[in-house]
Amino acid sequence: MTFEPTHVDNTPAVCFCCGRHATGAGVGTLKTDPRFLCAECLMIAEQIRNVRRWDAYESQAVLGGMDAAGPLVEAFGADLAEWDEGQVRQFVATVWRGCADRLREIVREGQVPF
């Protein structure tokens, strides 16, 4: 996995762990990348610092997105082509949050995802 910088001109941009909006605190160094974290990921910064292979964690996090999306598919119908823009936005946001929540859960609990 290749990480993108978590900052733009030394201003926090994206969370190193889940990709949400970052705060001014991170788990990296200023010489390379501060690896800024969002407020939720900041709560598990020590566990995040210890993760070495993110790919396996991300694969498991996808299941959280799938679980989160299920109720919306039930409510809106299975044919995404019939959804309006608001429904699609809600779906994408729900999937993203579901992935991020599951990722934090796995890291926080120290689960080995492989």
Side-chain angles (χ1 to χ4, degrees):
M1 175 178 180
T2 304
F3 292 104
E4 297 297 322
T6 61
H7 60 90
V8 176
D9 296 328
N10 294 321
T11 301
V14 297
C15 177
F16 171 72
C17 183
C18 73
R20 295 185 66 216
H21 182 73
T23 64
V27 294
T29 66
L30 293 175
K31 291 181 182 178
T32 56
D33 183 1
R35 295 183 183 171
F36 289 122
L37 300 173
C38 69
E40 291 173 318
C41 289
L42 189 57
M43 303 301 290
I44 59 169
E46 286 302 315
Q47 291 94 336
I48 289 171
R49 185 188 317 264
N50 293 328
V51 173
R52 296 292 174 244
R53 292 182 46 224
W54 282 99
D55 292 344
Y57 288 84
E58 290 172 349
S59 293
Q60 290 299 308
V62 168
L63 299 176
M66 292 170 54
D67 290 344
L72 290 180
V73 172
E74 292 268 336
F76 300 155
D79 187 354
L80 276 66
E82 295 180 3
W83 295 4
D84 64 34
E85 183 179 347
Q87 290 171 314
V88 172
R89 286 176 174 269
Q90 183 180 354
F91 178 77
V92 171
T94 299
V95 169
W96 191 338
R97 182 170 294 278
C99 290
D101 290 347
R102 180 67 58 89
L103 180 63
R104 281 190 292 274
E105 175 186 331
I106 295 167
V107 171
R108 180 177 51 252
E109 294 177 0
Q111 296 178 21
V112 179
F114 41 86

